[in-house]
Amino acid sequence: MNDRFLRACRREPVDRTPVWIMRQAGRYLPEYRDIRSRVGFLTLCRTPELAAEVTLQPLRRFALDAAILFADIMTPLDAFDIAMTFDPGPKIATPIRTREAVDRLHARPAAEAVPYVAETLRRLRRELDGRTPLIGFCGAPFTIAAYLVQGEGKDGFGALKRLLFEQPATVQVLLEKLSEAMADYVRMQIDAGAQAIQIFDSWAGILDPSDYRRYAMPAVAHIIDAVKERGVPAIYFLNGAPHLLELGASTCPDVLGVCWRTPLDDVARRVGPRIALQGNLDPHVLFGTPKMIRERVADVLQRVEGRPGHVMNLGHGILPETPIASVEALIDAVHDCSRVPATRTS
Ligand code: CP3
């Protein structure tokens, strides 16, 4: 049983640094593109047999230390019956921009609205059979709200920032509803077999520290508490937010997921020793030579050497054009550069 990922989340000793890759199932894999040429993205997410299959695809190729559920951060919005398509990112048919629209949102229980996610996790736990730990995930309320209010992905998410000042109470209620729904969703995932939960906050970085503290932080802290109450590690990935790392750490996740912008030794100094760190190789490094990849991996590892609790990962999702050989080089480099003598782990 490979538990070095779960051990690192808890800052326990490990034989070598565990590694997984954000978006490890996806378009850079020909076998994923093959399935996607036959079924749409939403069908893929909603069909447990297929979702479990694409979750396992990267594990067949690479010696990864964790599997991550295949779904999307927008998947649990089926609980609110919000009409949505993917092209390739989420598109909301009717963006939510008024108090009336927010008041109309009523979440059904996740177990009723998205039973296929629980079924995918149960299937995966059976197939993984203890060999590799399974990560569940959700989006942070602020990041989900950014898509719901804007209607689609857009740098800066001006529509949500504008609403935040025009109608702060409307945004507050929206974030509370999303926070409750995500807490229910992650509880369902844990009950179905998820052994850790990662919360993706891709867009909190558009806020300044005081607005982050007022709006985004309480909504995400509630989900982290729900995960920890169930006794599994919570990973909080804060993208593009070097100015929010201390506040993010103060929500007390077991692991802080760090984007590629801030060197991990800086982060370690700023957040103290009582939290594990995950990351944070720039995904673009994987367009370099194997030698460059190895040097950059060694650099990341060296910045947290001797500090308990590091999970190696990219500093954001892997890009669709990434060469497969680069992923192999990354994994090999982590294996070669992070092994510690057995005596030190016993
Ligand atoms: O990590 C994994 O392998 C698990 C699956 C996963 C997906 N999306 C599948 C997906 C996870 C964890 C996500 C998270 C997600 N989704 C985030 C947070 C991480 C981040 O990137 O910041 C966000 C913001 C989304 C919303 C989303 N979904 C976008 C912006 C896009 C399109 C952009 C892109 O990467 O092309 C999606 C679609 C999506 N989600 C795809 C996959 C594999 C591509 C869909 C396809 O096959 O056409």
Side-chain angles (χ1 to χ4, degrees):
M1 149 86 165
N2 169 5
D3 65 348
R4 58 173 77 83
F5 162 74
L6 294 171
R7 293 179 63 86
C9 289
R10 299 190 206 100
R11 289 179 291 123
E12 293 167 4
V14 286
D15 56 348
R16 66 161 172 78
T17 304
V19 55
W20 68 280
I21 298 172
M22 288 190 278
R23 299 282 192 100
Q24 64 192 20
R27 286 161 297 174
Y28 74 105
L29 290 175
E31 56 272 35
Y32 175 85
R33 294 196 300 269
D34 182 49
I35 290 190
R36 276 285 282 110
S37 70
R38 282 177 276 123
V39 297
F41 179 67
L42 282 169
T43 306
L44 181 50
C45 293
R46 289 174 179 158
T47 313
E49 191 188 340
L50 296 177
E53 166 59 23
V54 295
T55 301
L56 295 171
Q57 284 177 343
L59 277 81
R60 296 197 188 105
R61 276 185 189 264
F62 315 115
L64 293 157
D65 294 303
I68 180 162
L69 164 74
F70 190 84
D72 194 78
I73 58 165
M74 305 305 275
T75 298
L77 297 179
D78 282 0
F80 291 107
D81 292 320
I82 294 172
M84 192 183 336
T85 52
F86 280 83
D87 179 28
K91 299 253 185 309
I92 313 301
T94 315
I96 292 168
R97 295 190 180 164
T98 61
R99 181 60 192 250
E100 294 70 42
V102 170
D103 285 342
R104 275 198 300 272
L105 293 175
H106 289 291
R108 285 181 291 149
E112 188 188 300
V114 288
Y116 51 85
V117 170
E119 179 51 31
T120 301
L121 289 163
R122 282 192 291 268
R123 206 176 249 274
L124 282 166
R125 280 298 299 272
R126 275 199 304 276
E127 295 197 21
L128 289 166
D129 195 25
R131 273 171 301 162
T132 312
L134 177 59
I135 305 171
F137 75 92
C138 71
F142 186 81
T143 285
I144 297 173
Y147 286 98
L148 290 181
V149 174
Q150 190 74 47
E152 63 190 337
K154 191 172 182 176
D155 266 356
F157 284 91
L160 175 58
K161 278 197 94 167
R162 177 172 167 178
L163 197 64
L164 204 72
F165 293 96
E166 284 175 344
Q167 301 181 46
T170 299
V171 174
Q172 198 71 267
V173 175
L174 175 59
L175 291 172
E176 279 164 22
K177 287 189 174 184
L178 291 173
S179 180
E180 277 310 322
M182 292 312 121
D184 174 53
Y185 180 56
V186 297
R187 283 189 207 105
M188 178 196 77
Q189 291 189 42
I190 296 165
D191 294 346
Q195 290 159 288
I197 296 288
Q198 173 150 323
I199 302 160
F200 286 91
D201 213 343
S202 307
W203 294 105
I206 66 172
L207 294 175
D208 74 9
S210 71
D211 287 325
Y212 173 75
R213 190 201 292 265
R214 186 173 318 160
Y215 295 101
M217 209 169 109
V220 79
H222 177 64
I223 304 170
I224 291 169
D225 289 347
V227 173
K228 289 167 66 178
E229 259 167 40
R230 284 283 203 274
V232 311
I235 309 169
Y236 179 35
F237 172 62
L238 200 41
N239 178 53
H243 59 303
L244 303 175
L245 291 173
E246 288 88 346
L247 286 173
S250 75
T251 61
C252 295
D254 299 271
V255 186
L256 187 66
V258 183
C259 81
W260 50 269
R261 293 169 181 80
T262 315
L264 286 188
D265 47 341
D266 280 9
V267 182
R269 265 194 300 278
R270 286 167 56 187
V271 301
R274 300 166 75 88
I275 183 167
L277 299 178
Q278 177 176 277
N280 71 343
L281 193 71
D282 188 324
H284 294 86
V285 170
L286 298 183
F287 295 108
T289 61
K291 182 164 174 286
M292 276 155 89
I293 294 168
R294 178 172 284 262
E295 280 165 11
R296 296 300 188 99
V297 167
D299 177 71
V300 172
L301 292 169
Q302 177 259 317
R303 287 175 192 276
V304 284
E305 203 180 336
R307 183 187 189 278
H310 178 223
V311 176
M312 184 71 188
N313 205 316
L314 300 179
H316 202 179
I318 189 168
L319 295 158
E321 309 80 23
T322 304
I324 296 214
S326 294
V327 179
E328 280 159 3
L330 162 69
I331 308 272
D332 287 348
V334 176
H335 289 188
D336 294 346
C337 303
S338 74
R339 213 174 291 279
V340 297
T343 47
R344 275 171 55 192
T345 65
S346 57

